[in-house]
Amino acid sequence: FVARATTEDGSIDSEKLMKDLQAKYEAIENKPQFFLTVGAGLVGVWFASVILSAVDHVPVIPKAFELVGLTYSGWFTYRYLLFKSTREELIKDVEALKEKISGSE
């Protein structure tokens, strides 16, 4: 799903955007299921926000997450970014993932 409603100068054409969104909405066959899915997604995001906010207030956990993040970033840099051969491997993996996601295998 891609809604393109920009003009040549880069500004947003709101009329075209609304027409595109209306066409996509009309193409939905099971509208109640769509709204339930969107609602469940919003509730899930809200719930995740509440959980993360609660975890953030525990004094030790944010520092532990920061340490884990820094450790993973260091490992990722060492594993994939330092040497040319591993950078090429990473590029191949990313391209394969992009093809798998887009379905153009």
Side-chain angles (χ1 to χ4, degrees), residues 24-37:
K24 295 290 183 186
Y25 178 75
E26 294 301 323
I28 296 172
E29 293 179 14
N30 193 348
K31 289 180 177 53
Q33 182 182 6
F34 169 75
F35 286 116
L36 285 173
T37 303

Side-chain angles (χ1 to χ4, degrees), residues 36-64:
L36 285 173
T37 303
V38 169
L42 291 174
V43 168
V45 167
W46 170 79
F47 187 70
S49 172
V50 168
I51 296 296
L52 287 175
S53 177
V55 166
D56 193 39
H57 287 84
V58 177
V60 176
I61 294 179
K63 294 295 181 188

Side-chain angles (χ1 to χ4, degrees), residues 1-93:
F1 167 68
V2 176
R4 294 196 172 114
T6 58
T7 59
E8 290 178 12
D9 62 354
S11 62
I12 296 174
D13 183 7
S14 59
E15 218 172 280
K16 182 170 177 8
L17 180 64
M18 287 305 295
K19 286 180 183 176
D20 287 347
L21 290 176
Q22 285 174 345
K24 295 290 183 186
Y25 178 75
E26 294 301 323
I28 296 172
E29 293 179 14
N30 193 348
K31 289 180 177 53
Q33 182 182 6
F34 169 75
F35 286 116
L36 285 173
T37 303
V38 169
L42 291 174
V43 168
V45 167
W46 170 79
F47 187 70
S49 172
V50 168
I51 296 296
L52 287 175
S53 177
V55 166
D56 193 39
H57 287 84
V58 177
V60 176
I61 294 179
K63 294 295 181 188
F65 284 161
E66 186 176 341
L67 179 63
V68 168
L70 286 172
T71 303
Y72 182 78
S73 297
W75 173 83
F76 185 86
T77 300
Y78 175 76
R79 171 68 176 89
Y80 288 111
L81 302 178
L82 284 182
F83 307 107
K84 184 177 181 180
S85 62
T86 57
R87 283 193 301 266
E88 291 170 352
E89 177 187 343
L90 176 64
I91 291 170
K92 287 178 186 176
D93 289 345

